[in-house]
Amino acid sequence: MTEAVATQTEEVEEQEAAVDLSIAENVIQRYKDIPGNLMPVLQGVQDEYGYVPRVAVDYIAERLNVYPSQIYGVLTFYAQFHLKPRGKYIIRVCMGTACHVLGAERIKETFYERIGIGHAETSPDKRFTFELVACLGACGMAPLAMVNDETYGKMTVQKVDEIVKEYTALPM
Ligand code: FES
């Protein structure tokens, strides 16, 4: 195991040890009498923690009497679920055709340079998660980026700088 991987593993273990399972229990209580409650429980757990911690998967499996493997099957099938903590600000850059033609590559590279993380990565301070996505359905505003629910059209390198500056200044 390399040193970097070992450090990452230790970080994940620390995060998992800090997970308060009473939060997962509250979610389970909310849906416990509803048939087919696995999906709402997982969604509720993700809403509470911001992702689905592995210790919560084991806990849910025990409480709902299902195998952890069944839960991981659901979590990996649906793209909305995340097994790792995510940043407070999710930056998405569209790589669809219209955005690609109008310079998405440059926008992507500039974000990489400014925030120092690549696709599907989260900054160590958990401020940013960066994702490349397919067409966001607003091709008339290409090239397009989003931060959480906020849309930024006609992106330029200068706009990348402004966005990074704005969200870096916000409190965590
Ligand atoms: S290709 Fe980017 S919004 Fe459609």
Side-chain angles (χ1 to χ4, degrees), residues 94-100 133-144:
C94 177
M95 298 305 284
T97 307
C99 289
H100 178 76
V133 294
C135 179
L136 287 164
C139 310
M141 294 164 70
L144 201 80

Side-chain angles (χ1 to χ4, degrees), residues 39-170:
M39 279 297 277
V41 164
L42 294 177
Q43 192 60 62
V45 162
Q46 174 157 285
D47 289 346
E48 294 289 342
Y49 295 104
Y51 72 112
V52 184
R54 286 171 195 277
V55 288
V57 171
D58 292 339
Y59 187 78
I60 295 164
E62 199 186 306
R63 294 284 286 106
L64 300 188
N65 205 18
V66 294
Y67 290 112
S69 58
Q70 283 175 268
I71 298 182
Y72 283 116
V74 172
L75 293 175
T76 48
F77 184 78
Y78 293 98
Q80 85 244 36
F81 290 117
H82 306 288
L83 282 159
K84 287 195 288 189
R86 293 171 39 96
K88 180 163 185 181
Y89 305 108
I90 314 293
I91 299 176
R92 295 187 173 93
V93 172
C94 177
M95 298 305 284
T97 307
C99 289
H100 178 76
V101 169
L102 290 168
E105 197 64 31
R106 182 116 194 267
I107 302 306
K108 174 190 89 173
E109 290 300 330
T110 311
F111 270 116
Y112 281 175
E113 280 166 25
R114 303 298 190 262
I115 58 178
I117 52 172
H119 172 59
E121 290 179 345
T122 296
S123 59
D125 63 358
K126 306 279 184 295
R127 181 175 290 275
F128 294 117
T129 291
F130 185 75
E131 291 175 346
L132 302 174
V133 294
C135 179
L136 287 164
C139 310
M141 294 164 70
L144 201 80
M146 289 185 79
V147 183
N148 294 352
D149 295 333
E150 197 76 34
T151 301
Y152 296 88
K154 311 262 182 226
M155 283 296 295
T156 60
V157 167
Q158 194 190 335
K159 278 194 185 178
V160 172
D161 283 334
E162 286 165 12
I163 289 170
V164 171
K165 198 170 159 200
E166 179 187 341
Y167 285 91
T168 302
L170 291 177

